Tab-separated table of all heavy atoms in Angstrom:
chain	number	residue	atom	x	y	z
X	1	ALA	N	0.819	-1.215	0.000
X	1	ALA	CA	0.000	0.000	0.000
X	1	ALA	C	0.853	1.265	0.000
X	1	ALA	O	0.535	2.251	-0.677
X	1	ALA	CB	-0.937	-0.006	1.200
X	2	ARG	N	1.955	1.264	0.744
X	2	ARG	CA	2.809	2.446	0.799
X	2	ARG	C	3.504	2.685	-0.534
X	2	ARG	O	3.621	3.830	-0.990
X	2	ARG	CB	3.840	2.299	1.920
X	2	ARG	CG	3.255	2.364	3.317
X	2	ARG	CD	4.346	2.307	4.375
X	2	ARG	NE	3.791	2.387	5.727
X	2	ARG	CZ	4.515	2.357	6.821
X	2	ARG	NH1	5.841	2.242	6.749
X	2	ARG	NH2	3.933	2.437	8.018
X	3	GLU	N	3.961	1.618	-1.172
X	3	GLU	CA	4.613	1.766	-2.467
X	3	GLU	C	3.623	2.269	-3.517
X	3	GLU	O	3.982	3.087	-4.373
X	3	GLU	CB	5.223	0.434	-2.902
X	3	GLU	CG	6.410	-0.014	-2.057
X	3	GLU	CD	7.021	-1.308	-2.547
X	3	GLU	OE1	6.545	-1.827	-3.594
X	3	GLU	OE2	7.950	-1.811	-1.897
X	4	LEU	N	2.385	1.794	-3.457
X	4	LEU	CA	1.360	2.258	-4.387
X	4	LEU	C	1.086	3.735	-4.177
X	4	LEU	O	0.985	4.511	-5.144
X	4	LEU	CB	0.082	1.447	-4.205
X	4	LEU	CG	-1.125	1.890	-5.033
X	4	LEU	CD1	-0.825	1.810	-6.517
X	4	LEU	CD2	-2.353	1.045	-4.683
X	5	SER	N	0.963	4.138	-2.914
X	5	SER	CA	0.723	5.542	-2.609
X	5	SER	C	1.846	6.421	-3.146
X	5	SER	O	1.609	7.492	-3.720
X	5	SER	CB	0.580	5.731	-1.095
X	5	SER	OG	0.356	7.082	-0.768
X	6	GLN	N	3.080	5.958	-2.999
X	6	GLN	CA	4.227	6.711	-3.487
X	6	GLN	C	4.215	6.791	-5.015
X	6	GLN	O	4.560	7.816	-5.607
X	6	GLN	CB	5.530	6.049	-3.015
X	6	GLN	CG	6.799	6.807	-3.351
X	6	GLN	CD	6.879	8.142	-2.639
X	6	GLN	OE1	6.421	8.277	-1.512
X	6	GLN	NE2	7.459	9.136	-3.313
X	7	ALA	N	3.785	5.715	-5.666
X	7	ALA	CA	3.790	5.653	-7.126
X	7	ALA	C	2.846	6.670	-7.751
X	7	ALA	O	3.118	7.201	-8.839
X	7	ALA	CB	3.419	4.250	-7.587
X	8	ILE	N	1.725	6.961	-7.091
X	8	ILE	CA	0.737	7.880	-7.674
X	8	ILE	C	0.821	9.273	-7.060
X	8	ILE	O	-0.059	10.096	-7.271
X	8	ILE	CB	-0.692	7.323	-7.521
X	8	ILE	CG1	-1.075	7.201	-6.046
X	8	ILE	CG2	-0.815	5.987	-8.218
X	8	ILE	CD1	-2.520	6.775	-5.832
X	9	ARG	N	1.884	9.535	-6.302
X	9	ARG	CA	2.018	10.830	-5.650
X	9	ARG	C	2.675	11.863	-6.554
X	9	ARG	O	2.670	13.053	-6.255
X	9	ARG	CB	2.820	10.665	-4.361
X	9	ARG	CG	2.739	11.854	-3.413
X	9	ARG	CD	3.381	11.531	-2.080
X	9	ARG	NE	2.619	10.522	-1.364
X	9	ARG	CZ	3.058	9.869	-0.294
X	9	ARG	NH1	4.280	10.092	0.161
X	9	ARG	NH2	2.283	8.989	0.306
X	10	GLY	N	3.264	11.441	-7.653
X	10	GLY	CA	3.956	12.358	-8.547
X	10	GLY	C	3.000	13.179	-9.382
X	10	GLY	O	1.772	13.082	-9.247
X	11	PRO	N	3.538	14.004	-10.291
X	11	PRO	CA	2.700	14.890	-11.112
X	11	PRO	C	1.724	14.150	-12.022
X	11	PRO	O	0.682	14.684	-12.374
X	11	PRO	CB	3.727	15.688	-11.933
X	11	PRO	CG	4.988	14.889	-11.876
X	11	PRO	CD	4.973	14.199	-10.556
X	12	ALA	N	2.057	12.902	-12.394
X	12	ALA	CA	1.158	12.142	-13.272
X	12	ALA	C	-0.028	11.573	-12.512
X	12	ALA	O	-1.041	11.210	-13.114
X	12	ALA	CB	1.921	11.006	-13.958
X	13	GLY	N	0.070	11.482	-11.193
X	13	GLY	CA	-1.021	10.935	-10.393
X	13	GLY	C	-1.362	9.511	-10.805
X	13	GLY	O	-0.475	8.690	-11.017
X	14	THR	N	-2.639	9.236	-10.960
X	14	THR	CA	-3.060	7.890	-11.338
X	14	THR	C	-2.814	7.591	-12.813
X	14	THR	O	-3.097	6.485	-13.275
X	14	THR	CB	-4.552	7.671	-11.006
X	14	THR	OG1	-5.326	8.688	-11.632
X	14	THR	CG2	-4.784	7.707	-9.503
X	15	ASN	N	-2.304	8.576	-13.575
X	15	ASN	CA	-1.927	8.327	-14.968
X	15	ASN	C	-0.493	7.816	-15.087
X	15	ASN	O	-0.003	7.600	-16.200
X	15	ASN	CB	-2.060	9.608	-15.805
X	15	ASN	CG	-3.509	9.903	-16.169
X	15	ASN	OD1	-4.364	9.020	-16.109
X	15	ASN	ND2	-3.784	11.142	-16.540
X	16	ALA	N	0.178	7.648	-13.963
X	16	ALA	CA	1.559	7.167	-14.006
X	16	ALA	C	1.613	5.789	-14.654
X	16	ALA	O	0.775	4.924	-14.398
X	16	ALA	CB	2.136	7.101	-12.592
X	17	LEU	N	2.621	5.592	-15.515
X	17	LEU	CA	2.844	4.279	-16.104
X	17	LEU	C	3.609	3.425	-15.103
X	17	LEU	O	4.564	3.891	-14.491
X	17	LEU	CB	3.638	4.404	-17.402
X	17	LEU	CG	2.875	4.964	-18.601
X	17	LEU	CD1	3.829	5.178	-19.763
X	17	LEU	CD2	1.760	4.021	-19.003
X	18	VAL	N	3.192	2.196	-14.967
X	18	VAL	CA	3.794	1.305	-13.978
X	18	VAL	C	4.559	0.188	-14.672
X	18	VAL	O	4.019	-0.479	-15.564
X	18	VAL	CB	2.713	0.708	-13.056
X	18	VAL	CG1	3.335	-0.287	-12.082
X	18	VAL	CG2	1.988	1.813	-12.303
X	19	ALA	N	5.811	0.021	-14.280
X	19	ALA	CA	6.572	-1.160	-14.679
X	19	ALA	C	6.384	-2.172	-13.559
X	19	ALA	O	7.054	-2.114	-12.529
X	19	ALA	CB	8.040	-0.803	-14.873
X	20	LEU	N	5.428	-3.071	-13.738
X	20	LEU	CA	5.004	-3.976	-12.683
X	20	LEU	C	5.794	-5.284	-12.754
X	20	LEU	O	5.771	-5.982	-13.775
X	20	LEU	CB	3.514	-4.257	-12.804
X	20	LEU	CG	2.869	-5.023	-11.650
X	20	LEU	CD1	2.848	-4.169	-10.386
X	20	LEU	CD2	1.448	-5.453	-12.023
X	21	GLU	N	6.480	-5.610	-11.673
X	21	GLU	CA	7.248	-6.852	-11.586
X	21	GLU	C	6.505	-7.826	-10.669
X	21	GLU	O	6.374	-7.574	-9.471
X	21	GLU	CB	8.644	-6.579	-11.047
X	21	GLU	CG	9.456	-5.632	-11.913
X	21	GLU	CD	10.810	-5.322	-11.309
X	21	GLU	OE1	11.086	-5.800	-10.193
X	21	GLU	OE2	11.584	-4.578	-11.945
X	22	VAL	N	6.026	-8.913	-11.242
X	22	VAL	CA	5.284	-9.915	-10.469
X	22	VAL	C	6.243	-11.015	-10.023
X	22	VAL	O	6.853	-11.691	-10.866
X	22	VAL	CB	4.132	-10.514	-11.295
X	22	VAL	CG1	3.372	-11.547	-10.466
X	22	VAL	CG2	3.188	-9.409	-11.758
X	23	ASP	N	6.386	-11.160	-8.734
X	23	ASP	CA	7.284	-12.168	-8.158
X	23	ASP	C	8.693	-12.077	-8.733
X	23	ASP	O	9.346	-13.098	-9.002
X	23	ASP	CB	6.719	-13.582	-8.381
X	23	ASP	CG	5.449	-13.836	-7.574
X	23	ASP	OD1	5.241	-13.125	-6.568
X	23	ASP	OD2	4.676	-14.734	-7.947
X	24	GLY	N	9.164	-10.839	-8.965
X	24	GLY	CA	10.522	-10.643	-9.442
X	24	GLY	C	10.717	-10.911	-10.920
X	24	GLY	O	11.867	-10.913	-11.407
X	25	GLY	N	9.647	-11.114	-11.671
X	25	GLY	CA	9.752	-11.396	-13.098
X	25	GLY	C	10.014	-10.144	-13.921
X	25	GLY	O	10.230	-9.048	-13.388
X	26	ALA	N	10.002	-10.313	-15.246
X	26	ALA	CA	10.232	-9.192	-16.161
X	26	ALA	C	9.128	-8.151	-15.984
X	26	ALA	O	7.956	-8.498	-15.822
X	26	ALA	CB	10.258	-9.691	-17.600
X	27	PRO	N	9.492	-6.874	-15.985
X	27	PRO	CA	8.476	-5.829	-15.781
X	27	PRO	C	7.455	-5.779	-16.912
X	27	PRO	O	7.800	-5.970	-18.084
X	27	PRO	CB	9.301	-4.543	-15.708
X	27	PRO	CG	10.593	-4.854	-16.373
X	27	PRO	CD	10.847	-6.304	-16.135
X	28	VAL	N	6.213	-5.549	-16.528
X	28	VAL	CA	5.107	-5.410	-17.472
X	28	VAL	C	4.655	-3.961	-17.469
X	28	VAL	O	4.383	-3.394	-16.399
X	28	VAL	CB	3.928	-6.332	-17.075
X	28	VAL	CG1	2.730	-6.089	-17.988
X	28	VAL	CG2	4.348	-7.784	-17.098
X	29	LEU	N	4.598	-3.326	-18.650
X	29	LEU	CA	4.138	-1.950	-18.737
X	29	LEU	C	2.629	-1.922	-18.563
X	29	LEU	O	1.894	-2.560	-19.323
X	29	LEU	CB	4.522	-1.341	-20.088
X	29	LEU	CG	4.225	0.145	-20.280
X	29	LEU	CD1	5.057	0.992	-19.312
X	29	LEU	CD2	4.498	0.579	-21.716
X	30	ALA	N	2.158	-1.214	-17.537
X	30	ALA	CA	0.728	-1.228	-17.221
X	30	ALA	C	0.252	0.154	-16.790
X	30	ALA	O	1.046	1.007	-16.365
X	30	ALA	CB	0.443	-2.244	-16.116
X	31	VAL	N	-1.056	0.353	-16.914
X	31	VAL	CA	-1.698	1.564	-16.415
X	31	VAL	C	-2.668	1.169	-15.313
X	31	VAL	O	-3.150	0.031	-15.262
X	31	VAL	CB	-2.444	2.331	-17.529
X	31	VAL	CG1	-1.455	2.876	-18.549
X	31	VAL	CG2	-3.472	1.437	-18.215
X	32	LEU	N	-2.964	2.116	-14.425
X	32	LEU	CA	-3.879	1.865	-13.313
X	32	LEU	C	-5.306	2.152	-13.747
X	32	LEU	O	-5.572	3.160	-14.398
X	32	LEU	CB	-3.525	2.747	-12.121
X	32	LEU	CG	-2.368	2.328	-11.210
X	32	LEU	CD1	-1.050	2.344	-11.966
X	32	LEU	CD2	-2.291	3.234	-9.998
X	33	ARG	N	-6.206	1.278	-13.349
X	33	ARG	CA	-7.626	1.458	-13.632
X	33	ARG	C	-8.439	1.025	-12.407
X	33	ARG	O	-8.028	0.161	-11.649
X	33	ARG	CB	-8.053	0.642	-14.855
X	33	ARG	CG	-7.465	1.121	-16.179
X	33	ARG	CD	-8.075	2.451	-16.602
X	33	ARG	NE	-7.629	2.874	-17.922
X	33	ARG	CZ	-6.598	3.674	-18.138
X	33	ARG	NH1	-5.886	4.112	-17.097
X	33	ARG	NH2	-6.262	4.033	-19.357
X	34	ASP	N	-9.616	1.637	-12.272
X	34	ASP	CA	-10.576	1.246	-11.226
X	34	ASP	C	-9.934	1.184	-9.846
X	34	ASP	O	-10.022	0.168	-9.142
X	34	ASP	CB	-11.209	-0.104	-11.560
X	34	ASP	CG	-12.049	-0.052	-12.821
X	34	ASP	OD1	-12.624	1.013	-13.096
X	34	ASP	OD2	-12.111	-1.072	-13.544
X	35	LEU	N	-9.277	2.264	-9.474
X	35	LEU	CA	-8.663	2.350	-8.151
X	35	LEU	C	-9.736	2.714	-7.132
X	35	LEU	O	-10.312	3.795	-7.170
X	35	LEU	CB	-7.557	3.410	-8.157
X	35	LEU	CG	-6.822	3.674	-6.847
X	35	LEU	CD1	-6.150	2.409	-6.339
X	35	LEU	CD2	-5.790	4.786	-7.028
X	36	HIS	N	-10.017	1.784	-6.211
X	36	HIS	CA	-11.067	1.983	-5.210
X	36	HIS	C	-10.443	2.284	-3.852
X	36	HIS	O	-9.494	1.630	-3.430
X	36	HIS	CB	-11.954	0.740	-5.102
X	36	HIS	CG	-12.711	0.425	-6.349
X	36	HIS	ND1	-13.862	1.093	-6.724
X	36	HIS	CD2	-12.473	-0.472	-7.339
X	36	HIS	CE1	-14.308	0.616	-7.866
X	36	HIS	NE2	-13.476	-0.334	-8.267
X	37	ARG	N	-11.014	3.273	-3.165
X	37	ARG	CA	-10.573	3.641	-1.822
X	37	ARG	C	-11.728	3.488	-0.831
X	37	ARG	O	-12.903	3.569	-1.215
X	37	ARG	CB	-10.076	5.090	-1.787
X	37	ARG	CG	-8.796	5.357	-2.558
X	37	ARG	CD	-8.477	6.834	-2.482
X	37	ARG	NE	-7.275	7.226	-3.198
X	37	ARG	CZ	-6.071	7.336	-2.647
X	37	ARG	NH1	-5.923	7.079	-1.358
X	37	ARG	NH2	-5.027	7.705	-3.366
X	38	HIS	N	-11.368	3.327	0.417
X	38	HIS	CA	-12.372	3.294	1.478
X	38	HIS	C	-13.013	4.679	1.572
X	38	HIS	O	-12.309	5.694	1.601
X	38	HIS	CB	-11.719	2.918	2.811
X	38	HIS	CG	-12.701	2.611	3.895
X	38	HIS	ND1	-13.381	3.596	4.583
X	38	HIS	CD2	-13.129	1.424	4.410
X	38	HIS	CE1	-14.167	3.032	5.478
X	38	HIS	NE2	-14.033	1.722	5.392
X	39	PRO	N	-14.353	4.755	1.605
X	39	PRO	CA	-15.022	6.066	1.569
X	39	PRO	C	-14.716	6.964	2.760
X	39	PRO	O	-14.839	8.184	2.658
X	39	PRO	CB	-16.510	5.700	1.524
X	39	PRO	CG	-16.584	4.311	2.078
X	39	PRO	CD	-15.309	3.639	1.661
X	40	ILE	N	-14.314	6.398	3.885
X	40	ILE	CA	-14.025	7.202	5.075
X	40	ILE	C	-12.526	7.258	5.363
X	40	ILE	O	-11.950	8.331	5.513
X	40	ILE	CB	-14.777	6.642	6.306
X	40	ILE	CG1	-16.289	6.715	6.077
X	40	ILE	CG2	-14.388	7.412	7.573
X	40	ILE	CD1	-17.110	6.074	7.176
X	41	LYS	N	-11.894	6.110	5.394
X	41	LYS	CA	-10.472	6.054	5.734
X	41	LYS	C	-9.577	6.534	4.596
X	41	LYS	O	-8.469	7.011	4.829
X	41	LYS	CB	-10.079	4.627	6.116
X	41	LYS	CG	-10.808	4.079	7.336
X	41	LYS	CD	-10.399	2.632	7.595
X	41	LYS	CE	-11.126	2.051	8.783
X	41	LYS	NZ	-10.763	0.625	9.011
X	42	GLY	N	-10.044	6.387	3.355
X	42	GLY	CA	-9.224	6.764	2.209
X	42	GLY	C	-8.195	5.714	1.835
X	42	GLY	O	-7.425	5.907	0.896
X	43	SER	N	-8.169	4.596	2.547
X	43	SER	CA	-7.198	3.540	2.258
X	43	SER	C	-7.586	2.813	0.973
X	43	SER	O	-8.747	2.800	0.558
X	43	SER	CB	-7.132	2.554	3.427
X	43	SER	OG	-8.418	2.049	3.734
X	44	PHE	N	-6.595	2.200	0.331
X	44	PHE	CA	-6.839	1.481	-0.908
X	44	PHE	C	-7.587	0.176	-0.638
X	44	PHE	O	-7.274	-0.554	0.305
X	44	PHE	CB	-5.518	1.165	-1.614
X	44	PHE	CG	-4.703	2.374	-1.956
X	44	PHE	CD1	-3.483	2.597	-1.340
X	44	PHE	CD2	-5.154	3.293	-2.891
X	44	PHE	CE1	-2.725	3.710	-1.653
X	44	PHE	CE2	-4.404	4.414	-3.208
X	44	PHE	CZ	-3.184	4.621	-2.582
X	45	ILE	N	-8.560	-0.120	-1.488
X	45	ILE	CA	-9.337	-1.349	-1.357
X	45	ILE	C	-8.973	-2.339	-2.464
X	45	ILE	O	-8.734	-3.514	-2.222
X	45	ILE	CB	-10.845	-1.053	-1.397
X	45	ILE	CG1	-11.244	-0.213	-0.170
X	45	ILE	CG2	-11.657	-2.348	-1.443
X	45	ILE	CD1	-12.696	0.192	-0.163
X	46	HIS	N	-8.921	-1.860	-3.692
X	46	HIS	CA	-8.634	-2.734	-4.834
X	46	HIS	C	-8.299	-1.871	-6.042
X	46	HIS	O	-8.701	-0.712	-6.119
X	46	HIS	CB	-9.846	-3.625	-5.147
X	46	HIS	CG	-9.567	-4.692	-6.158
X	46	HIS	ND1	-9.650	-4.472	-7.518
X	46	HIS	CD2	-9.196	-5.984	-6.012
X	46	HIS	CE1	-9.339	-5.584	-8.159
X	46	HIS	NE2	-9.063	-6.525	-7.268
């Protein structure tokens, strides 16, 4: 959760391109979609 928060804190926000490494594998170029937060706490849900 902290790494995700840091990733979208820059000027691009949720438009930031992510080089996603799954279990240490080759990075996959991805974009964020359908980012859900808790309505009160603001924490990430999915």
Side-chain angles (χ1 to χ4, degrees):
R2 290 184 179 180
E3 292 182 3
L4 175 60
S5 180
Q6 185 65 34
I8 63 175
R9 195 171 293 167
T14 55
N15 282 341
L17 287 174
V18 176
L20 189 68
E21 300 177 357
V22 180
D23 292 338
V28 175
L29 186 64
V31 294
L32 280 64
R33 292 290 185 267
D34 295 329
L35 178 59
H36 296 281
R37 292 177 181 266
H38 191 283
I40 298 175
K41 298 177 181 178
S43 54
F44 301 114
I45 295 177
H46 189 275

